[in-house]
Amino acid sequence: MTILVTGGAGFIGSNFILDWAADSDEVVVNVDKLTYAGNLKNLSSLGGDCRHVFVKGDIGNVELMSTLLSQHKPRAILNFAAESHVDRSIHGPADFIETNVVGTFGLLESTRAYWSALPDAEKIAFRFLHVSTDEVYGSLEKDDAAFREDSRYAPNSPYSASKAASDHLVRAYHHTYGLPVLTTNCSNNYGPFHFPEKLIPLCILNALSGKDLPIYGDGQQIRDWLYVKDHCAAIRRVLECGVLGETYNIGGWNEKTNLEVVKALCGVLDELKPLAGARSYAHQITFVRDRPGHDRRYAIDANKIATELGWTPKETFEAGLRKTVQWYLEHQEWVNEVSTGAYRVWMNAHYKVESRS
Ligand code: NAD
Ligand code: TYD
């Protein structure tokens, strides 16, 4: 048996493949365009393992995807591929529309053609699992109830709007063509292999190199943090026993302000890699101009997946953050490699424009 994963060289996709390989003998075909965020080094521990087949390609390339589907005959497709960084979507939305909307549409078309031609038993067993985000629901006020699966879509950034559009396409392919789809909407992930443009890895690496820890606005925005391995386990669970056409919210029951998160990671660094003179890394915290249209609060009500599929997060934020900081301390080579080239250009441009108010 075979599954096909898209975006498997990115942060969550690579964690998913590594966990899958640790657990299963089923082959994973990994199709990734290798944008700035895709890094095959994330999968280097698999070595020449024949259960991982990598193909460099674009999900929107219908000809390529159709060839791969008829060649490998996967029983499931898991769509992780996306442009995923909100700030980049504000600076340049075009790539987000191209991959997240047009690319997902292309992938759905290739999948529909492949699935339609499957023999009945395989057709029934087939799954298309679309990995999405809580950001499609927009922003919550402090006392609002957490997002449920039936919360209204109200995306606010080009990123979340493009993900919302992809969710709608996936839903429509189920409703119209009967494609056996599942959609997951997850909160903010953190953990190993997280590209250092995002808050947690950015602050770990900036702290270690003596740079500012840039907090947008007042730092009181709230995110619901989930350790990436818990997200991967939830996706496996949904793939295994999710109800077709349903969506599942995935979250950590762990709401924190950005300032709390950064202070917590400074605390872990103070312990694991103390600065001279007993100074805390927290002295590097700097408030910078806010992100335009910055969503104030995300929170996931993860009751449905808990009660219907029996999934709950295993990792506490304290233990997950410690593991994450430890991972970055122990993977200097990975850090050095991603910190060069296109990434450096982005950092210089973005944090110069968004400089202190
Ligand atoms: P990422 O940016 O780290 O990785 C995305 C991967 O997709 C990269 O390897 C990239 O090369 C690949 N890719 C981009 N465009 C492609 C294309 N056109 N064709 C093939 N591959 C392409 O993202 P991530 O954080 O791993 O997120 C994975 C998925 O999970 C995304 O769909 C994202 O919206 C969703 N998600 C992320 C989070 C989070 O906190 N990171 C939370 C909820 C949902
Ligand atoms: P991020 O990791 O980009 O994820 P998302 O925007 O998808 O939630 O950002 C997490 C939070 O941290 C978000 O509220 C924006 C904030 N943030 C900062 O305050 N400073 C930064 O340098 C970055 C990258 C993010």
Side-chain angles (χ1 to χ4, degrees):
M1 300 273 256
T2 298
I3 61 166
L4 188 145
V5 164
T6 72
F11 164 46
I12 305 174
S14 59
N15 275 288
F16 180 86
I17 291 175
L18 292 174
D19 291 357
W20 185 271
D23 235 37
S24 158
D25 281 334
E26 201 170 351
V27 171
V28 180
V29 178
N30 174 10
V31 184
D32 194 299
K33 190 177 168 183
L34 296 183
T35 67
Y36 77 94
N39 185 355
L40 279 178
K41 290 275 168 66
N42 298 2
L43 296 162
S44 57
S45 64
L46 290 177
D49 194 323
C50 58
R51 291 171 306 158
H52 176 234
V53 179
F54 178 74
V55 181
K56 184 173 187 298
D58 192 318
I59 55 167
N61 182 340
V62 174
E63 201 182 320
L64 170 74
M65 292 311 299
S66 300
T67 306
L68 291 174
L69 291 174
S70 50
Q71 195 182 339
H72 295 284
K73 304 201 176 348
R75 68 166 176 100
I77 296 173
L78 292 94
N79 185 30
F80 291 87
E83 289 292 338
S84 69
H85 186 36
V86 173
D87 293 321
R88 286 187 192 251
S89 83
I90 294 167
H91 285 265
D95 287 347
F96 290 73
I97 305 306
E98 201 50 54
T99 282
N100 301 358
V101 186
V102 184
T104 302
F105 164 66
L107 181 63
L108 283 165
E109 278 295 87
S110 327
T111 305
R112 179 163 76 94
Y114 164 70
W115 171 76
S116 305
L118 285 175
D120 279 351
E122 288 167 44
K123 208 171 178 176
I124 290 166
F126 183 80
R127 298 287 181 269
F128 181 95
L129 191 152
H130 180 61
V131 179
S132 192
T133 166
D134 60 357
E135 304 193 25
V136 298
Y137 299 119
S139 184
L140 293 168
E141 297 296 330
K142 194 164 170 285
D143 297 321
D144 286 348
F147 299 129
R148 290 160 40 104
E149 287 76 1
D150 56 5
S151 294
R152 189 170 69 92
Y153 270 38
N156 289 320
S157 72
Y159 164 65
S160 54
S162 66
K163 290 297 292 187
S166 69
D167 294 7
H168 289 322
L169 282 169
V170 169
R171 176 191 152 88
Y173 271 64
H174 175 69
H175 190 78
T176 306
Y177 305 113
L179 193 72
V181 307
L182 298 155
T183 298
T184 56
N185 293 90
C186 188
S187 61
N188 285 61
N189 285 213
Y190 67 98
F193 303 113
H194 204 180
F195 195 80
E197 64 189 352
K198 307 280 171 71
L199 180 70
I200 290 184
L202 174 81
C203 287
I204 295 173
L205 299 191
N206 276 15
L208 291 170
S209 48
K211 295 184 189 151
D212 289 348
L213 311 182
I215 306 276
Y216 296 160
D218 62 5
Q220 294 307 307
Q221 303 82 5
I222 291 170
R223 298 293 182 266
D224 174 358
W225 293 94
L226 179 70
Y227 192 60
V228 64
K229 304 277 178 197
D230 276 328
H231 185 189
C232 295
I235 290 171
R236 290 199 302 275
R237 191 83 192 125
V238 173
L239 178 66
E240 204 183 322
C241 50
V243 175
L244 293 185
E246 290 290 309
T247 67
Y248 295 91
N249 281 355
I250 304 169
W253 300 104
N254 180 54
E255 291 184 53
K256 300 256 182 254
T257 67
N258 293 338
L259 198 53
E260 282 171 338
V261 167
V262 175
K263 283 186 174 165
L265 74 81
C266 287
V268 178
L269 279 170
D270 288 341
E271 221 182 288
L272 298 180
K273 190 114 175 121
L275 286 170
R279 287 188 91 190
S280 169
Y281 288 93
H283 83 273
Q284 289 164 232
I285 290 176
T286 310
F287 291 89
V288 300
R289 201 168 72 198
D290 208 353
R291 171 187 280 174
H294 199 170
D295 283 339
R296 199 67 185 163
R297 174 176 167 236
Y298 304 141
I300 280 282
D301 178 337
N303 274 311
K304 176 176 171 181
I305 189 168
T307 53
E308 295 185 13
L309 306 186
W311 174 88
T312 50
K314 298 262 174 302
E315 204 70 65
T316 63
F317 184 65
E318 292 65 31
L321 189 64
R322 177 174 285 269
K323 279 188 189 172
T324 304
V325 171
Q326 191 89 48
W327 187 89
Y328 281 90
L329 288 171
E330 287 167 1
H331 290 80
Q332 200 52 51
E333 199 186 317
W334 185 93
V335 168
N336 291 342
E337 280 183 21
V338 299
S339 303
T340 55
Y343 169 67
R344 189 164 290 160
V345 173
W346 158 257
M347 293 296 284
N348 289 338
H350 178 63
Y351 289 96
K352 201 155 128 206
V353 175
E354 308 298 324
S355 64
R356 278 159 246 200
S357 45

